[in-house]
Amino acid sequence: GTFIFTSPASPIKCGGAPLKAAFLIDDLSRRLGNRDSQNFKFCAGGVACFGVPYYRGPLEELLEERGIANIVSHNLVEVRGEEQVAVFQTGPESQTEMKFDFLHVVPPQGPFEFLAKSPLADANGFCAVDKGTTQHVKYPNVFGIGDASSLPTSKTAAATVSQATVASSNMLDFMAGRAFSKSYNGYAGCPIVVSNKAAIMAEFGYDGVPMESLRFMDQRKPSRLWFHMKRDAFPTMYWWGILTGLWRGPSMIPDIPAVYNGGKASALRA
């Protein structure tokens, strides 16, 4: 059968989520022993399977290694369920159709209507804030973070935690009449699970600059460590660290390479 996995052209909550689905179902199919009878296709609405070049190459290699067709510039616009046909926009005036037996759809996403139609919104409907201070570009007593903000980075929980640290500090500075003391560097984290025992941990800032927490290892390579971090540690960190305000992002992690570098922090440190 034909298995199709889609990723929309619009911003989504986690750019790696569609890839996780493709890799995990591929892995399950192999463990069940029926992968040879299946045709896997990953269809990205954008020009690449993943937006950050530093991680894109290894992910493309993994797709090829696993026999998953990497198809770009294919944005899902219609599903004819009874016919099992997916319709993709491939250009301004061109479309193509694909038959499927299994279809995994990540829908296009956007801002809430009440926000998009408010004076706070930019042209794309998100809260228009400064990319460094998180302060609104027009209304100084407004700050914005997370999915609703215009911050040009991945919309993940890891990104929001770092943004909250900056925004909370800068709001206190604003109320006290002080100059802002913190600036957001675009940090976002995206664990991409590729099997039932391995994951890639993508961490990056603005312009796709890598900002990895454990620079003594290559986080682009599938690792059991990151699989267990994703499955076992991150849920606890979310409930007991993020929601309680105890976890303030990767700045709390010691710069381990500095121990072996005369105390000098890594150039990639967030």
Side-chain angles (χ1 to χ4, degrees):
T2 298
F3 287 55
I4 298 177
F5 303 83
T6 74
S7 178
S10 65
I12 60 175
K13 288 181 64 63
C14 178
L19 285 166
K20 297 175 195 178
F23 286 133
L24 284 172
I25 294 177
D26 166 80
D27 177 68
L28 176 62
S29 179
R30 291 176 186 278
R31 287 187 283 117
L32 292 175
N34 53 21
R35 179 65 173 85
D36 290 342
S37 64
Q38 297 164 346
N39 179 25
F40 276 49
K41 299 179 181 181
F42 183 81
C43 298
V47 296
C49 67
F50 194 69
V52 182
Y54 183 73
Y55 297 97
R56 183 187 306 152
L59 287 168
E60 289 176 339
E61 291 175 6
L62 192 56
L63 285 169
E64 182 177 3
E65 177 185 315
R66 302 275 278 269
I68 303 173
N70 182 20
I71 304 171
V72 299
S73 300
H74 277 57
N75 193 37
L76 182 69
V77 292
E78 181 185 357
V79 177
R80 299 203 295 271
E82 292 185 0
E83 301 174 52
Q84 292 184 273
V85 170
V87 183
F88 296 89
Q89 194 77 32
T90 56
E93 299 181 359
S94 59
Q95 293 184 340
T96 188
E97 298 182 357
M98 294 185 191
K99 290 280 291 183
F100 64 84
D101 296 288
F102 174 91
L103 179 65
H104 181 274
V105 176
V106 176
Q109 298 166 28
F112 287 109
E113 185 178 359
F114 74 84
L115 174 62
K117 292 184 177 180
S118 78
L120 298 175
D122 63 6
N124 296 315
F126 295 98
C127 186
V129 297
D130 181 270
K131 62 183 288 187
T133 67
T134 72
Q135 183 184 40
H136 197 277
V137 297
K138 184 177 180 181
Y139 303 103
N141 62 332
V142 174
F143 290 75
I145 63 172
D147 295 354
S149 77
S150 64
L151 294 168
T153 190
S154 183
K155 296 183 180 297
T156 67
T160 303
V161 171
S162 292
Q163 294 162 17
T165 301
V166 172
S168 60
S169 178
N170 287 348
M171 283 190 285
L172 291 174
D173 289 334
F174 175 76
M175 288 187 289
R178 299 186 297 259
F180 291 140
S181 56
K182 291 188 178 294
S183 180
Y184 177 55
N185 55 20
Y187 173 83
C190 180
I192 303 173
V193 183
V194 299
S195 73
N196 74 327
K197 61 182 178 182
I200 290 170
M201 184 61 192
E203 293 181 284
F204 48 89
Y206 285 138
D207 301 319
V209 175
M211 305 182 76
E212 298 183 332
S213 296
L214 304 181
R215 285 164 304 283
F216 59 84
M217 64 184 294
D218 188 348
Q219 293 186 190
R220 296 173 297 177
K221 294 181 179 180
S223 163
R224 196 172 191 108
L225 168 65
W226 287 117
F227 171 80
H228 285 292
M229 288 293 288
K230 166 65 174 175
R231 189 189 71 176
D232 305 319
F234 290 168
T236 300
M237 184 183 296
Y238 175 80
W239 289 108
W240 299 104
I242 294 176
L243 296 187
T244 60
L246 296 176
W247 176 252
R248 301 187 301 278
S251 60
M252 297 181 67
I253 302 174
D255 191 11
I256 296 173
V259 176
Y260 306 96
N261 192 30
K264 296 179 181 179
S266 167
L268 298 182
R269 187 60 184 161

